[in-house]
Amino acid sequence: MKKYVSAPVRKRDAMALVTGQPVYTADIAPAGCLVVKLLRSPHASALIKNIRTDAAKRLPGIACVLTWQDVPAARFTQAGQTYPEASPYDRLILDQRIRCEGDPVAIVAGESEQAVDAALRLIKVEYEVLTPLLDFTQALDNPILVHPEEDFKALCDVGADNKRNLCASGVNQEGDVEAELAGCDIVIDQVYNTLANNQTMMETFRTFTRLDAFGRLEVTSSTQVPFHVRRILSNALEIPKSRIRVIKPRIGGGFGAKQSAVSEVFPAIVTLKTGRPAMIVYTRAESMTNGSPRHQMQMHVRLGADRQGNIRAIDLHTLSNAGAYGEHGPTTVGLTGHKSIPLYGAARAFRFAWDVVYTNTMSGGAYRGYGATQGIYAVETAVNELAARLGMDPIQLRLQNLVRQGQTMPAYYGELLQSCTLDQCLERAAEMIGWKEKYPARRLENGHIRSVGVAMAMQGSAISGVDVGGARIRLNDGGEYLLSIGATDMGTGCDTILAQMAADCLDCELERIAVHGVDTDTSPYDCGSYASSTTYLTGMAVVKACEELREKILAQGADMLGIDPDAARLDGEGVTSLADGRRVSLAEIGYASLSGRYGSLQAEVSHTSPVSPPPFMAGIAEIDLDPETGEVKMTDYAAVVDCGTVVNANLARVQTEGGIVQGIGMTLTENIQYTDKGRMMNNSLMQYKIPTRLDAGKIRVEFISSYEPTGPFGAKSIGELVINTPAPAITHAVYNATGLQFRSLPITPEQIALGLAHKEKA
């Protein structure tokens, strides 16, 4: 029988998507939905003294206008995380206190967009404008408090203290860092900065809601976390979860943005108030200014080594800007250290400390890489600076110090590394790019400089001991299978990958596996698609469910043949007697299972993992730099990935390519800026520049597989890992081309040109 795992299978929904079939939230919304829009604050910090909505309510075509006085006053978090959420409960549906520009002031619902727009203009708000706190490096213990409320609460002990503007704080260490650093010949002691980055997914936030025939709230939303959305809405609306049903259609991209319940609560409260279907669609500007972007961070790295290049100690302090609300603040910061420091298994001691602070800027959230991206940028850049100080090849330095299979990783929760080909990935990437010939740089005839830079990265596979993957598989009466999952395919192709696994487990053709998307009423519980969990965690749930179903099918088929299961064999077509070759087909077994004698043939499994095996990646960038203008063009990027067993080569490759392009944007073009009043200046794709295909250059991807014994078919994750190497690798290439060491992103042509001019003048 054909094997599907590791085969380059085409995505199952590919043709539906490219031919424009109605599959997205806005496509399937019922006719007659009320149009829902938000009146947003123009101020970054203010108190609402008075709000007049009478004129707006009287406007023809307006169904309701809601202010903070009309909605529940229960604090909640929008973060889609397993309960109890680490993120503090610090948000209201509508609040009298404004904490960032764009905070919602009123909800307006009407029959048409024109009526709603007119009503928004008629609402009169009197604000007491307050001084905003915008600089996150000055937030801790600042007299300006972003969250002075007394009902602020955190369900978990994450070190939150709203009276200090502190969303989270902590420290983790092993060994004597100070003693090790004191004994080092060279210590790199530098501060690195990254800005908030926007996911810029093609489909903005959108949700429609309605009441079903039993009066329950039905929510259809472009979300990565349907089950978490149900809990979030229950908390915010103060209604039981049993009264809420969440359905996830096809998602037009998420990249972590939709791990927060950004849009769902607003049409939901309208439906509860009016009894009518309601829909909200965020504009691009709203998604840019009040979405859930990557957290801005500042990382102080101290890295010590002897003169032979043996890294002895790593000390990292991360300061993270939660923004106005704490969604994902306590959790993203952890990855800055726990996914960067363990790369260097030779270190004798480490210390990782963190503070997450509130400011009057847009709140952060989840974005591919989830904090590891920022931490790896800082630590890998520090390692490249160490190589320069030592006069040592940075690849050789890494090969001398990197973590290897069989090691225990103290900075990675003490896990034993059971699968790792990072050393091979690094060596292969060097071969692909021609490192020995191109490092560090060479000048071309046109005056441009070609240079290369290197970095490596790791991530995780689900959140160990916390997250749950679920799968249910049933044999139907036609001999085909229905696979129900709670994980959300957001364009990654997880429906296809999980079907590949099921087909191999059941020894059948892929076409026999139908995959049913997420509905919290009918799907098995799954934490959702985040933390690189789907392939590893939900995949293992699929494998276990298929194994259980195989035993049931074999037992029933053998009974129908009048023999013992040990005397029968199950293949992709049916059950066969080993003694005489008599056979009963899957269709016959399926039909018989619907009779009283046997009962339905299905299996449902929930799976969690006590470990989170890291995938690894080596990335080497080659750039073309014009010293006159400072312009940097990507010419080549060599990426080699260890994600265990590659389940689908096509999808793994495009995942890697996409992550690299996002990393290029973070490094060179994506620049969030605020006015001194707290207004974001980059609220459209004209001002916020993401790379196009023409900006990405050549991207080459290869895989060197390991085998992860705790993963399905030996697989680990790949989704987040692939964004983590471009920032440090490109920063390194710029240094090799110019001698200028940049420690803040993005690196702009102006900065390079001015730096070179200053260097020449000096």
Side-chain angles (χ1 to χ4, degrees):
M1 181 65 69
K2 183 176 181 180
K3 296 297 181 184
Y4 291 100
V5 170
S6 297
V9 175
R10 187 171 71 180
K11 280 179 61 178
R12 307 200 75 181
D13 58 355
M15 294 310 297
L17 298 179
V18 300
T19 56
Q21 294 185 28
V23 295
Y24 298 108
T25 302
D27 299 330
I28 60 177
C33 274
L34 291 173
V35 175
V36 179
K37 291 193 177 187
L38 305 177
L39 179 68
R40 296 185 178 273
S41 167
H43 307 293
S45 182
L47 291 173
I48 300 174
K49 296 182 68 176
N50 187 35
I51 182 166
R52 293 159 49 197
T53 61
D54 292 349
K57 289 178 178 177
R58 288 196 299 266
L59 199 68
I62 294 301
C64 72
V65 179
L66 305 175
T67 71
W68 63 274
Q69 297 166 307
D70 306 311
V71 298
R75 296 215 174 262
F76 67 101
T77 176
Q78 289 182 350
Q81 299 173 303
T82 298
Y83 182 86
E85 307 95 323
S87 301
Y89 280 30
D90 57 10
R91 184 187 286 271
L92 298 177
I93 300 173
L94 296 173
D95 202 337
Q96 194 174 8
R97 178 176 289 273
I98 300 301
R99 293 181 174 83
C100 67
E101 183 215 0
D103 247 359
V105 174
I107 306 169
V108 179
E111 306 294 345
S112 68
E113 189 169 0
Q114 293 78 8
V116 172
D117 287 340
L120 289 170
R121 292 192 293 269
L122 292 176
I123 299 174
K124 303 302 179 185
V125 187
E126 182 183 351
Y127 297 97
E128 178 187 342
V129 180
L130 306 175
T131 302
L133 174 58
L134 303 176
D135 184 349
F136 78 116
T137 67
Q138 303 299 313
L140 187 60
D141 294 323
N142 195 294
I144 300 174
L145 291 181
V146 179
H147 282 276
E149 64 268 14
E150 295 299 325
D151 58 347
F152 176 98
K153 64 179 179 180
L155 304 189
C156 301
D157 182 11
V158 293
D161 186 346
N162 60 310
K163 298 305 171 67
R164 300 183 64 202
N165 284 327
L166 201 57
C167 176
S169 183
V171 64
N172 180 230
Q173 65 184 66
E174 181 162 304
D176 192 333
V177 168
E178 295 300 336
E180 289 292 342
L181 288 173
C184 288
D185 297 315
I186 296 175
V187 175
I188 302 298
D189 187 340
Q190 296 292 349
V191 174
Y192 304 89
N193 290 278
T194 62
L195 295 181
N197 302 121
N198 203 289
Q199 297 90 343
T200 62
M201 60 282 177
M202 291 178 68
E203 182 195 33
T204 60
F205 301 100
R206 55 197 61 197
T207 303
F208 73 81
T209 56
R210 59 186 170 190
L211 297 179
D212 68 14
F214 303 98
R216 299 171 72 227
L217 179 66
E218 183 182 293
V219 181
T220 301
S221 189
S222 182
T223 178
Q224 297 172 222
V225 286
F227 284 94
H228 292 335
V229 165
R230 185 176 63 161
R231 182 183 65 252
I232 292 165
L233 290 176
S234 174
N235 291 337
L237 300 170
E238 297 184 308
I239 62 174
K241 289 192 287 290
S242 60
R243 286 188 56 200
I244 305 171
R245 174 188 185 187
V246 180
I247 300 168
K248 185 240 32 140
R250 277 286 171 259
I251 302 177
F255 308 114
K258 295 170 184 175
Q259 196 192 334
S260 294
V262 173
S263 61
E264 286 83 355
V265 71
F266 303 113
I269 189 67
V270 167
T271 291
L272 291 180
K273 291 286 186 179
T274 66
R276 295 184 56 186
M279 181 167 185
I280 191 168
V281 176
Y282 271 42
T283 64
R284 179 60 62 185
E286 287 178 303
S287 293
M288 300 288 284
T289 58
N290 295 93
S292 55
R294 189 184 300 285
H295 289 84
Q296 179 186 20
M297 291 188 184
Q298 182 178 88
M299 291 141 290
H300 181 191
V301 179
R302 293 194 298 162
L303 178 72
D306 61 25
R307 295 196 186 281
Q308 290 71 46
N310 299 304
I311 295 174
R312 297 307 187 201
I314 304 174
D315 185 22
L316 170 65
H317 176 266
T318 300
L319 179 66
S320 177
N321 183 9
Y325 303 97
E327 277 91 14
H328 300 280
T331 41
T332 52
V333 72
L335 275 65
T336 63
H338 293 309
K339 301 293 171 70
S340 60
I341 297 171
L343 283 166
Y344 294 94
R348 295 173 178 171
F350 83 90
R351 179 169 56 207
F352 169 42
W354 61 91
D355 293 296
V356 185
V357 293
Y358 287 109
T359 64
N360 293 117
T361 61
M362 66 172 172
S363 62
Y367 185 0
R368 193 180 204 166
Y370 202 79
T373 312
Q374 297 97 306
I376 287 170
Y377 158 69
V379 171
E380 285 297 277
T381 301
V383 169
N384 285 329
E385 293 195 54
L386 174 64
R389 287 272 299 275
L390 289 166
M392 188 174 181
D393 186 308
I395 289 183
Q396 183 55 45
L397 176 64
R398 284 176 169 81
L399 289 171
Q400 189 170 309
N401 289 281
L402 58 75
V403 69
R404 295 177 185 269
Q405 187 168 311
Q407 287 186 314
T408 298
M409 301 173 285
Y412 191 64
Y413 320 109
E415 279 195 20
L416 173 67
L417 183 56
Q418 300 188 79
S419 59
C420 177
T421 60
L422 178 57
D423 55 338
Q424 299 174 51
C425 291
L426 191 58
E427 290 169 337
R428 177 57 188 147
E431 291 176 9
M432 290 168 63
I433 208 78
W435 179 265
K436 292 181 180 179
E437 297 77 32
K438 295 177 179 178
Y439 173 76
R442 64 197 189 281
R443 188 173 288 272
L444 305 182
E445 291 181 0
N446 63 0
H448 289 201
I449 303 169
R450 287 284 179 94
S451 62
V452 290
V454 63
M456 58 188 193
M458 61 178 275
Q459 195 76 34
S461 301
I463 304 175
S464 56
V466 173
D467 285 341
V468 173
R472 181 193 310 117
I473 190 158
R474 182 181 77 212
L475 177 66
N476 290 331
D477 54 2
E480 74 287 350
Y481 300 93
L482 175 63
L483 175 63
S484 296
I485 58 173
T488 55
D489 193 327
M490 53 179 168
T492 54
C494 78
D495 288 359
T496 304
I497 288 169
L498 297 175
Q500 288 176 254
M501 293 182 186
D504 276 5
C505 289
L506 296 167
D507 199 24
C508 71
E509 293 294 332
L510 186 62
E511 291 71 23
R512 284 197 173 185
I513 309 289
V515 182
H516 189 272
V518 189
D519 180 334
T520 58
D521 271 8
T522 60
S523 299
Y525 175 79
D526 193 291
C527 59
S529 293
Y530 62 90
S532 301
S533 62
T534 307
T535 297
Y536 175 75
L537 201 67
T538 309
M540 186 56 83
V542 169
V543 169
K544 289 182 174 181
C546 289
E547 290 172 349
E548 185 178 322
L549 182 59
R550 280 186 66 94
E551 293 180 6
K552 292 181 177 181
I553 294 172
L554 181 63
Q556 181 180 313
D559 185 76
M560 292 172 69
L561 292 169
I563 59 176
D564 191 86
D566 292 338
R569 176 176 60 87
L570 170 65
D571 59 28
E573 300 299 326
V575 174
T576 304
S577 168
L578 296 175
D580 55 20
R582 288 182 300 117
R583 184 176 185 81
V584 59
S585 71
L586 283 176
E588 292 172 310
I589 295 171
Y591 273 119
S593 72
L594 302 183
S595 69
R597 179 178 178 184
Y598 292 112
S600 177
L601 284 172
Q602 63 180 339
E604 181 174 338
V605 170
S606 289
H607 175 72
T608 188
S609 175
V611 295
S612 176
F616 295 93
M617 176 179 176
I620 301 182
E622 182 177 8
I623 65 169
D624 181 292
L625 188 145
D626 183 346
E628 290 190 4
T629 65
E631 182 182 23
V632 173
K633 289 186 177 180
M634 299 300 304
T635 60
D636 198 2
Y637 202 98
V640 186
V641 179
D642 162 24
C643 58
T645 299
V646 179
V647 178
N648 187 310
N650 281 352
L651 298 181
R653 180 167 287 103
V654 297
Q655 281 267 35
T656 308
E657 292 170 350
I660 289 169
V661 172
Q662 288 176 311
I664 291 170
M666 175 182 179
T667 312
L668 297 177
T669 63
E670 298 179 30
N671 194 9
I672 290 288
Q673 300 164 297
Y674 285 91
T675 69
D676 59 2
K677 301 294 185 183
R679 174 161 291 190
M680 188 190 298
M681 300 165 64
N682 316 87
N683 63 356
S684 80
L685 295 179
M686 293 296 290
Q687 286 81 29
Y688 186 84
K689 299 292 187 181
I690 62 172
T692 69
R693 184 63 188 89
L694 297 177
D695 300 315
K698 182 194 299 181
I699 298 175
R700 294 179 289 152
V701 178
E702 292 187 7
F703 301 93
I704 297 182
S705 294
S706 60
Y707 185 87
E708 174 50 49
T710 66
F713 295 90
K716 297 185 287 189
S717 70
I718 192 173
E720 294 181 275
L721 166 77
V722 293
I723 198 173
N724 293 335
T725 60
I730 296 168
T731 299
H732 188 214
V734 171
Y735 170 78
N736 288 331
T738 64
L740 301 173
Q741 184 62 65
F742 292 96
R743 300 186 181 94
S744 295
L745 299 180
I747 305 169
T748 65
E750 294 84 356
Q751 292 171 333
I752 295 172
L754 289 172
L756 287 172
H758 179 76
K759 182 180 177 183
E760 185 176 344
K761 184 178 179 180

